[in-house]
Amino acid sequence: MLSLSVLLPLAYGLLLVIVLAFAAGLLLQPDMPSQRLKVPLLLAGAVSTLLLMLTPWVPLPGVLIDLRLLPPLLLLLTFGPRFSLPVLACAVLARLIVGGAGVVPELLSGAFSWLVAAGLWRGRRTLQLAWWEPLVVFGAMALPYGLISADLLRELLLVLPLSHALGLGVAAGVLHSRAQLVRLTRSYQALAHTDPLTGLLNRRQFQRDLEHLQPHDHLILLDIDHFKQVNDRYGHDTGDRAIQAVGAVLEATLPHRGRAYRIGGEEFAVVLPGRPDAALALAQRIWQGVRLTVVVSGTDEHQPPSLTCSLGVAQAGQRGIGASVFRRADSALYAAKRGGRDQIVVASATQAPAPSPSAHTTHIMMPDEQAGQHTLWATLLSTLDDLGRDAGQIEGEWDDLLSSAVMAVPGAEAGSLLLLEDQEFVIRAQHNFDDRLLGQRLSVAQQRAWYGPNLSGYLAGLPRLRTEPQQPEGSRMVTLGEAYGLRRIEVNLCVPVVVGREVVALLNLDNFSKESAFAPESLSQASAFARKIAALLQGRERRQREQRHQQELQALLALAEAWSHGHSVEQVARALCEALLVTLNAHSVVLLAPQDDALMSVISLGQVPMPQHCRVSVGEGLTAQTLGSGQPQRYLNVRFTGQRYEQLTSGGEAALMLPLDSLDASPALVVVRRPGDRPFQLSEELLGWRMMQMLAAQLDRLEPLPRRVDHLTAELLA
């Protein structure tokens, strides 16, 4: 029978193994390459070994029994004997430093178990062991303790295999679960960033990688020549096979450090680090490979379609801004297509290199300020059209839209997109700044001040340029900039996005280096992009309005159905309060009925109900204001003090107050409340008012008008 002196240290050790396994599992991240895991795993194994030595069982003086050999054995069975040797050496060195009578048998124990485990490993790369293999390994661990005492050996033949096998099973289970989760995450990320037709990376991944271009990286843009003719003559199936064939050429010619993308219909891109001659050589191999491609036609045409392509090549400068590199590569691609197609054009930001001896390659000089969007500008706009037709994608695509704007507008190096939500502008996307900006809220007044004093231009959606844009000290924009260490902006291009007569979004495009970065072409393209965003927002608003009307209709039908079964004032009124609670997503609905010179709470529903029969003053506070108007009223920053509703300067809840019968001298009142960060909208006010009118008609059916309110109070208080 094992005593507590044995069980407690081993139990502590097992708990520590679980904690350490979870901690080691955190090293496994979806975006971390496997080769970068070796050093962190070795360090984690060494630290775990030392920590497990802190809870030993001491059966005899100088003899320390613990779980310190688990980390090296786990690494051995997972990665092989050589990988585990540094951690085993750490365990040996630590035990020598501690010293004691048990040093020799403990070192022999570690050596025996390591050799047996190495023999069982046999080059395997998995922890799928037979049930008896851990017992053999840890049984060998106990044998050297026979040099000390036969009784100790008999005890350890039970304790060591069971405790170590249990610890190994727990640690392996935790790490295996974490590894499975990482694999699943990687597979989902790959699906989200992979083009389904070609298997290449997609436009979303391209835009993300473009932000992280390093100095002297190269960008190659490729466009299949006369692709529309292939589709028209041979059909879209053949067109798809042509796209797949070009994707296969890119995969076959791409070096291991390069990345290939399909960024549009027949448009592709390649990012390649290295020397200019390597990028040019790759572009020439791609050009030649596409010319040699044979596409099988799905029609009766005897002549299969022949493919050619145009390519534009550009190199990142010292600052490596992806948007400027993209614009130069796109200008080179445009020059290739304008020059007759089926060729390569290399654009240099400073001085054009010596002409290439190849007849199909041309070098041009294309400074950043002259590079504009040509071929792919239409692709970006068509992408926006696709997003506009796909309502479910818009909310998650603001980053992609903003990245497209930064790439499309000459001179833009960064940007932000703010959307109007609940009477405040919210930063929904940023490019080349800091993700901590996302979700920050700015008032309408602050954004008008940011645009400038030209109110008519702001409401008309005219683009505004400002060099070294500054805000007054203490303003929200300055505070955000200081908090997140934003880079200094030399020039800002701000375009209000107008729907109807209201500014519903702000598109900000920024340059960090040149005050003259934005040319008239930049303003024109930014305005075109803002109009596309306005169309998207209009479509979203239309769909939301249709959804809202559908929900209102369902709510009114459900209320009518509930009333068809109600034959008393109490049943009808309660059905109304329940409908308001659900339809308006509120946390409290209270029906206040008149009694004497006050209002009495007669029905209270929700998570924050009002006490039953609570008296509310009629002649003061928001109650008097609402009853005096005879119309529904929306309020912010509302607090109930126990006798009246009052409005604070900040904090509090959002409230919607709905008078029941404005024809009576003492009408009833319904108060709907929810958290202050979700103020009631006009559409919700109108829905609540319609429901109150339906209630008045229903009560009139049950009671004549002169006695309606009196009977309402009497029945509900009964």
Side-chain angles (χ1 to χ4, degrees):
M1 186 72 177
L2 297 178
S3 64
L4 284 177
S5 62
V6 179
L7 293 176
L8 283 178
L10 295 179
Y12 290 147
L14 288 174
L15 289 175
L16 189 56
V17 166
I18 296 173
V19 173
L20 293 172
F22 274 106
L26 295 178
L27 295 174
L28 304 176
Q29 296 294 332
D31 55 350
M32 178 175 285
S34 301
Q35 58 269 23
R36 291 176 55 190
L37 275 175
K38 291 186 176 181
V39 173
L41 284 176
L42 286 175
L43 290 175
V47 171
S48 300
T49 296
L50 298 177
L51 291 175
L52 289 170
M53 293 181 66
L54 299 177
T55 58
W57 166 45
V58 186
L60 296 172
V63 179
L64 307 178
I65 308 299
D66 51 46
L67 302 177
R68 64 178 174 271
L69 292 177
L70 269 182
L73 291 176
L74 184 61
L75 292 174
L76 185 154
L77 294 172
T78 307
F79 301 104
R82 290 185 180 180
F83 190 84
S84 67
L85 280 175
V87 180
L88 181 65
C90 177
V92 170
L93 182 61
R95 187 63 188 90
L96 288 173
I97 293 175
V98 173
V103 169
V104 173
E106 289 178 35
L107 294 181
L108 290 174
S109 171
F112 281 10
S113 59
W114 189 86
L115 290 172
V116 173
L120 293 175
W121 181 70
R122 295 189 301 272
R124 72 176 72 180
R125 296 284 179 176
T126 177
L127 279 177
Q128 293 179 352
L129 304 175
W131 65 269
W132 54 270
E133 289 179 320
L135 297 179
V136 170
V137 173
F138 300 129
M141 184 184 296
L143 294 178
Y145 289 96
L147 298 174
I148 299 177
S149 165
D151 292 337
L152 179 62
L153 175 60
R154 282 193 296 272
E155 192 168 11
L156 291 182
L157 280 174
L158 174 64
V159 171
L160 284 182
L162 289 180
S163 61
H164 281 72
L166 183 59
L168 179 67
V170 169
V174 170
L175 293 175
H176 180 68
S177 298
R178 176 64 181 178
Q180 277 190 319
L181 178 62
V182 169
R183 280 194 295 270
L184 283 173
T185 304
R186 284 176 177 170
S187 65
Y188 289 139
Q189 287 178 343
L191 287 175
H193 296 89
T194 301
D195 174 59
L197 184 61
T198 62
L200 302 178
L201 297 171
N202 62 10
R203 176 182 58 86
R204 177 180 297 176
Q205 186 63 47
F206 172 69
Q207 289 175 331
R208 282 160 173 72
D209 290 348
L210 199 63
E211 295 181 30
H212 301 97
L213 279 185
Q214 300 300 312
H216 308 302
D217 285 352
H218 289 80
L219 174 63
I220 302 173
L221 297 181
L222 179 151
D223 186 271
I224 302 176
D225 295 331
H226 304 295
F227 183 73
K228 185 177 184 302
Q229 296 178 12
V230 175
N231 269 337
D232 292 343
R233 180 177 179 183
Y234 298 96
H236 289 282
D237 289 341
T238 302
D240 288 346
R241 283 193 286 271
I243 290 173
Q244 290 172 330
V246 173
V249 170
L250 292 178
E251 286 189 323
T253 56
L254 195 67
H256 72 280
R257 296 180 62 195
R259 308 190 84 182
Y261 315 80
R262 182 185 175 213
I263 58 175
E266 66 271 21
E267 294 85 18
F268 298 83
V270 173
V271 172
L272 180 70
R275 301 186 310 276
D277 55 346
L280 180 57
L282 174 61
Q284 291 171 340
R285 290 198 302 272
I286 294 172
W287 176 84
Q288 186 67 31
V290 172
R291 287 177 61 88
L292 296 175
T293 297
V294 177
V295 180
V296 178
S297 171
T299 67
D300 296 332
E301 296 278 353
H302 297 292
Q303 181 68 29
S306 59
L307 298 180
T308 63
C309 65
S310 303
L311 298 97
V313 184
Q315 181 182 19
Q318 291 294 335
R319 291 167 54 233
I321 298 297
S324 63
V325 182
F326 178 87
R327 282 190 288 271
R328 274 189 283 111
D330 184 60
S331 293
L333 177 60
Y334 178 73
K337 297 183 80 68
R338 186 179 55 188
R341 296 181 171 84
D342 191 22
Q343 60 180 302
I344 303 167
V345 173
V346 182
S348 172
T350 54
Q351 182 178 0
S356 168
S358 174
H360 60 266
T361 303
T362 304
H363 293 264
I364 61 174
M365 187 170 69
M366 181 62 63
D368 286 343
E369 58 269 17
Q370 295 180 12
Q373 286 303 101
H374 301 291
T375 305
L376 295 184
W377 172 241
T379 300
L380 294 174
L381 294 183
S382 66
T383 299
L384 290 180
D385 290 334
D386 292 340
L387 290 173
R389 288 189 291 269
D390 187 358
Q393 292 292 324
I394 295 177
E395 294 301 331
E397 295 285 345
W398 295 123
D399 283 335
D400 289 343
L401 297 183
L402 179 63
S403 298
S404 298
V406 173
M407 288 192 299
V409 177
E413 297 177 343
S416 59
L417 180 62
L418 295 83
L419 303 182
L420 185 65
E421 299 176 7
D422 296 332
Q423 304 307 309
E424 284 187 311
F425 284 101
V426 183
I427 302 177
R428 286 302 177 201
Q430 65 83 25
H431 183 93
N432 213 12
F433 284 123
D434 192 306
D435 276 342
R436 289 175 294 176
L437 282 175
L438 300 179
Q440 295 291 332
R441 306 182 76 89
L442 301 161
S443 70
V444 173
Q446 287 171 329
Q447 290 312 290
R448 282 185 179 175
W450 171 252
Y451 179 85
N454 184 5
L455 180 59
S456 60
Y458 175 81
L459 296 177
L462 299 180
R464 183 272 297 143
L465 278 177
R466 176 181 288 180
T467 57
E468 297 187 8
Q470 298 294 327
Q471 292 271 324
E473 288 297 324
S475 73
R476 180 70 167 154
M477 294 295 288
V478 169
T479 303
L480 291 176
E482 293 173 349
Y484 302 136
L486 301 185
R487 300 166 64 180
R488 179 183 177 86
I489 297 171
E490 286 296 327
V491 59
N492 167 261
L493 170 57
C494 179
V495 187
V497 178
V498 180
V499 174
R501 297 183 179 181
E502 183 181 19
V503 176
V504 296
L506 285 171
L507 174 63
N508 285 293
L509 300 173
D510 305 293
N511 186 283
F512 300 124
S513 55
K514 297 175 65 176
E515 291 186 0
S516 59
F518 294 115
E521 180 189 9
S522 304
L523 275 64
S524 174
Q525 293 189 357
S527 296
F529 213 96
R531 288 193 295 272
K532 281 290 181 180
I533 295 176
L536 288 178
L537 292 173
Q538 275 184 309
R540 183 183 69 166
E541 174 61 26
R542 184 178 62 255
R543 285 184 290 270
Q544 289 177 343
R545 187 166 57 248
E546 292 170 354
Q547 272 185 333
R548 191 162 55 243
H549 290 166
Q550 185 67 23
Q551 292 171 352
E552 291 176 4
L553 180 60
Q554 292 174 351
L556 296 176
L557 290 175
L559 185 58
E561 173 66 19
W563 281 346
S564 68
H565 303 291
H567 303 289
S568 68
V569 171
E570 195 275 336
Q571 290 174 331
V572 169
R574 182 170 293 275
L576 170 83
C577 293
E578 291 172 350
L580 287 172
L581 186 70
V582 174
T583 306
L584 299 182
N585 194 19
H587 68 197
S588 172
V589 175
V590 178
L591 174 58
L592 302 171
Q595 188 182 47
D596 300 330
D597 58 347
L599 292 174
M600 182 76 71
S601 61
V602 291
I603 294 179
S604 182
L605 304 175
Q607 302 172 357
V608 190
M610 179 184 287
Q612 196 76 359
H613 300 168
C614 179
R615 293 177 64 85
V616 179
S617 175
V618 175
E620 55 185 338
L622 301 179
T623 305
Q625 183 176 330
T626 303
L627 294 178
S629 70
Q631 299 292 324
Q633 299 291 333
R634 291 174 286 149
Y635 299 104
L636 290 174
N637 306 322
V638 175
R639 181 181 66 179
F640 181 63
T641 63
Q643 292 184 333
R644 66 178 182 272
Y645 291 96
E646 60 181 26
Q647 195 165 24
L648 309 175
T649 56
S650 62
E653 300 174 314
L656 174 62
M657 295 190 176
L658 305 163
L660 175 56
D661 186 7
S662 60
L663 297 177
D664 194 275
S666 300
L669 185 69
V670 174
V671 180
V672 187
R673 292 181 295 157
R674 65 188 186 194
D677 59 352
R678 294 191 292 114
F680 289 98
Q681 304 300 311
L682 177 60
S683 59
E684 294 174 312
E685 175 188 322
L686 295 176
L687 174 60
W689 188 231
R690 291 193 194 100
M691 296 173 78
M692 295 300 291
Q693 290 172 331
M694 289 178 62
L695 175 63
Q698 186 71 6
L699 291 177
D700 194 38
R701 181 180 65 83
L702 296 175
E703 289 287 345
L705 179 61
R707 297 183 297 160
R708 181 192 309 161
V709 175
D710 292 338
H711 281 215
L712 171 67
T713 305
E715 181 172 336
L716 292 175
L717 291 178

Short mmCIF file of all heavy atoms in Angstrom, two decimals, residues 369-393:
data_model
loop_
_atom_site.label_atom_id
_atom_site.label_comp_id
_atom_site.label_asym_id
_atom_site.label_seq_id
_atom_site.Cartn_x
_atom_site.Cartn_y
_atom_site.Cartn_z
N GLU A 369 5.69 58.90 -58.34
CA GLU A 369 4.66 59.90 -58.55
C GLU A 369 4.02 59.79 -59.93
O GLU A 369 2.97 60.37 -60.18
CB GLU A 369 5.24 61.31 -58.35
CG GLU A 369 6.40 61.65 -59.26
CD GLU A 369 7.73 61.28 -58.61
OE1 GLU A 369 7.71 60.49 -57.65
OE2 GLU A 369 8.77 61.79 -59.05
N GLN A 370 4.67 59.07 -60.86
CA GLN A 370 4.09 58.91 -62.19
C GLN A 370 3.33 57.60 -62.34
O GLN A 370 2.63 57.39 -63.33
CB GLN A 370 5.20 58.96 -63.25
CG GLN A 370 5.90 60.31 -63.33
CD GLN A 370 6.99 60.31 -64.39
OE1 GLN A 370 7.08 59.41 -65.20
NE2 GLN A 370 7.82 61.35 -64.36
N ALA A 371 3.51 56.71 -61.37
CA ALA A 371 2.88 55.39 -61.48
C ALA A 371 1.41 55.51 -61.12
O ALA A 371 1.06 55.99 -60.04
CB ALA A 371 3.57 54.40 -60.55
N GLY A 372 0.54 55.10 -61.99
CA GLY A 372 -0.89 55.14 -61.73
C GLY A 372 -1.51 53.79 -61.97
O GLY A 372 -0.88 52.86 -62.44
N GLN A 373 -2.76 53.69 -61.62
CA GLN A 373 -3.47 52.44 -61.81
C GLN A 373 -4.04 52.38 -63.21
O GLN A 373 -4.71 53.29 -63.66
CB GLN A 373 -4.61 52.34 -60.78
CG GLN A 373 -4.12 52.05 -59.38
CD GLN A 373 -3.31 50.78 -59.33
OE1 GLN A 373 -2.09 50.83 -59.29
NE2 GLN A 373 -3.97 49.67 -59.34
N HIS A 374 -3.82 51.25 -63.86
CA HIS A 374 -4.32 51.08 -65.22
C HIS A 374 -5.05 49.75 -65.33
O HIS A 374 -6.27 49.69 -65.19
CB HIS A 374 -3.15 51.16 -66.21
CG HIS A 374 -2.41 52.44 -66.15
ND1 HIS A 374 -2.95 53.64 -66.56
CD2 HIS A 374 -1.16 52.73 -65.70
CE1 HIS A 374 -2.07 54.62 -66.39
NE2 HIS A 374 -0.98 54.09 -65.86
N THR A 375 -4.30 48.69 -65.55
CA THR A 375 -4.93 47.40 -65.82
C THR A 375 -5.75 46.90 -64.66
O THR A 375 -6.88 46.45 -64.82
CB THR A 375 -3.83 46.38 -66.16
OG1 THR A 375 -3.04 46.88 -67.22
CG2 THR A 375 -4.45 45.06 -66.58
N LEU A 376 -5.21 46.97 -63.43
CA LEU A 376 -5.88 46.33 -62.30
C LEU A 376 -6.87 47.24 -61.59
O LEU A 376 -7.58 46.81 -60.70
CB LEU A 376 -4.84 45.82 -61.30
CG LEU A 376 -3.96 44.70 -61.86
CD1 LEU A 376 -3.02 44.19 -60.79
CD2 LEU A 376 -4.80 43.57 -62.41
N TRP A 377 -6.93 48.51 -61.97
CA TRP A 377 -7.94 49.39 -61.38
C TRP A 377 -9.34 48.86 -61.71
O TRP A 377 -10.22 48.81 -60.85
CB TRP A 377 -7.75 50.81 -61.92
CG TRP A 377 -8.82 51.77 -61.53
CD1 TRP A 377 -9.65 52.44 -62.37
CD2 TRP A 377 -9.17 52.20 -60.22
NE1 TRP A 377 -10.50 53.25 -61.66
CE2 TRP A 377 -10.23 53.12 -60.33
CE3 TRP A 377 -8.70 51.88 -58.95
CZ2 TRP A 377 -10.82 53.73 -59.24
CZ3 TRP A 377 -9.29 52.49 -57.85
CH2 TRP A 377 -10.32 53.39 -58.00
N ALA A 378 -9.54 48.44 -62.93
CA ALA A 378 -10.84 47.87 -63.30
C ALA A 378 -11.11 46.59 -62.52
O ALA A 378 -12.24 46.31 -62.13
CB ALA A 378 -10.88 47.59 -64.80
N THR A 379 -10.05 45.81 -62.27
CA THR A 379 -10.22 44.58 -61.50
C THR A 379 -10.69 44.89 -60.08
O THR A 379 -11.58 44.24 -59.53
CB THR A 379 -8.89 43.80 -61.44
OG1 THR A 379 -8.50 43.48 -62.77
CG2 THR A 379 -9.05 42.52 -60.64
N LEU A 380 -10.08 45.91 -59.46
CA LEU A 380 -10.47 46.27 -58.10
C LEU A 380 -11.91 46.74 -58.05
O LEU A 380 -12.68 46.38 -57.15
CB LEU A 380 -9.54 47.37 -57.57
CG LEU A 380 -8.08 46.95 -57.38
CD1 LEU A 380 -7.24 48.16 -56.99
CD2 LEU A 380 -7.96 45.86 -56.33
N LEU A 381 -12.33 47.53 -59.03
CA LEU A 381 -13.71 48.00 -59.05
C LEU A 381 -14.68 46.85 -59.28
O LEU A 381 -15.77 46.81 -58.69
CB LEU A 381 -13.88 49.07 -60.13
CG LEU A 381 -13.12 50.39 -59.88
CD1 LEU A 381 -13.43 51.38 -60.99
CD2 LEU A 381 -13.46 50.97 -58.52
N SER A 382 -14.31 45.91 -60.15
CA SER A 382 -15.19 44.76 -60.36
C SER A 382 -15.29 43.92 -59.10
O SER A 382 -16.33 43.32 -58.81
CB SER A 382 -14.69 43.91 -61.52
OG SER A 382 -13.44 43.32 -61.20
N THR A 383 -14.19 43.87 -58.32
CA THR A 383 -14.23 43.16 -57.04
C THR A 383 -15.23 43.82 -56.10
O THR A 383 -15.99 43.14 -55.39
CB THR A 383 -12.84 43.14 -56.39
OG1 THR A 383 -11.94 42.47 -57.26
CG2 THR A 383 -12.86 42.42 -55.05
N LEU A 384 -15.25 45.14 -56.08
CA LEU A 384 -16.22 45.86 -55.26
C LEU A 384 -17.64 45.55 -55.71
O LEU A 384 -18.55 45.40 -54.89
CB LEU A 384 -15.96 47.36 -55.32
CG LEU A 384 -14.70 47.86 -54.62
CD1 LEU A 384 -14.59 49.36 -54.78
CD2 LEU A 384 -14.68 47.48 -53.17
N ASP A 385 -17.83 45.46 -57.02
CA ASP A 385 -19.16 45.10 -57.53
C ASP A 385 -19.58 43.72 -57.04
O ASP A 385 -20.72 43.50 -56.64
CB ASP A 385 -19.18 45.13 -59.05
CG ASP A 385 -19.08 46.56 -59.59
OD1 ASP A 385 -19.48 47.48 -58.86
OD2 ASP A 385 -18.58 46.73 -60.72
N ASP A 386 -18.62 42.77 -57.04
CA ASP A 386 -18.93 41.43 -56.56
C ASP A 386 -19.31 41.46 -55.09
O ASP A 386 -20.25 40.80 -54.65
CB ASP A 386 -17.72 40.51 -56.76
CG ASP A 386 -17.44 40.25 -58.23
OD1 ASP A 386 -18.38 40.44 -59.04
OD2 ASP A 386 -16.30 39.87 -58.56
N LEU A 387 -18.56 42.26 -54.31
CA LEU A 387 -18.88 42.36 -52.89
C LEU A 387 -20.25 42.98 -52.68
O LEU A 387 -20.99 42.61 -51.77
CB LEU A 387 -17.82 43.19 -52.17
CG LEU A 387 -16.44 42.52 -52.04
CD1 LEU A 387 -15.45 43.52 -51.46
CD2 LEU A 387 -16.53 41.29 -51.16
N GLY A 388 -20.58 43.96 -53.52
CA GLY A 388 -21.89 44.59 -53.39
C GLY A 388 -23.02 43.62 -53.65
O GLY A 388 -24.10 43.75 -53.08
N ARG A 389 -22.79 42.64 -54.53
CA ARG A 389 -23.84 41.66 -54.79
C ARG A 389 -23.89 40.60 -53.70
O ARG A 389 -24.89 39.90 -53.56
CB ARG A 389 -23.60 41.00 -56.15
CG ARG A 389 -23.88 41.93 -57.32
CD ARG A 389 -23.84 41.16 -58.62
NE ARG A 389 -22.49 40.71 -58.93
CZ ARG A 389 -21.63 41.41 -59.66
NH1 ARG A 389 -21.96 42.59 -60.12
NH2 ARG A 389 -20.44 40.94 -59.93
N ASP A 390 -22.80 40.45 -52.94
CA ASP A 390 -22.74 39.42 -51.91
C ASP A 390 -22.87 40.09 -50.55
O ASP A 390 -21.88 40.50 -49.96
CB ASP A 390 -21.41 38.65 -52.01
CG ASP A 390 -21.38 37.45 -51.08
OD1 ASP A 390 -22.36 37.25 -50.34
OD2 ASP A 390 -20.38 36.71 -51.09
N ALA A 391 -24.09 40.20 -50.06
CA ALA A 391 -24.34 40.98 -48.84
C ALA A 391 -23.63 40.40 -47.65
O ALA A 391 -23.21 41.10 -46.75
CB ALA A 391 -25.84 41.04 -48.56
N GLY A 392 -23.47 39.08 -47.60
CA GLY A 392 -22.89 38.46 -46.42
C GLY A 392 -21.41 38.72 -46.26
O GLY A 392 -20.85 38.51 -45.21
N GLN A 393 -20.73 39.19 -47.33
CA GLN A 393 -19.30 39.35 -47.27
C GLN A 393 -18.87 40.75 -46.86
O GLN A 393 -17.73 40.95 -46.50
CB GLN A 393 -18.68 39.02 -48.64
CG GLN A 393 -18.77 37.56 -49.02
CD GLN A 393 -17.91 36.69 -48.15
OE1 GLN A 393 -16.82 37.08 -47.74
NE2 GLN A 393 -18.40 35.52 -47.80
#
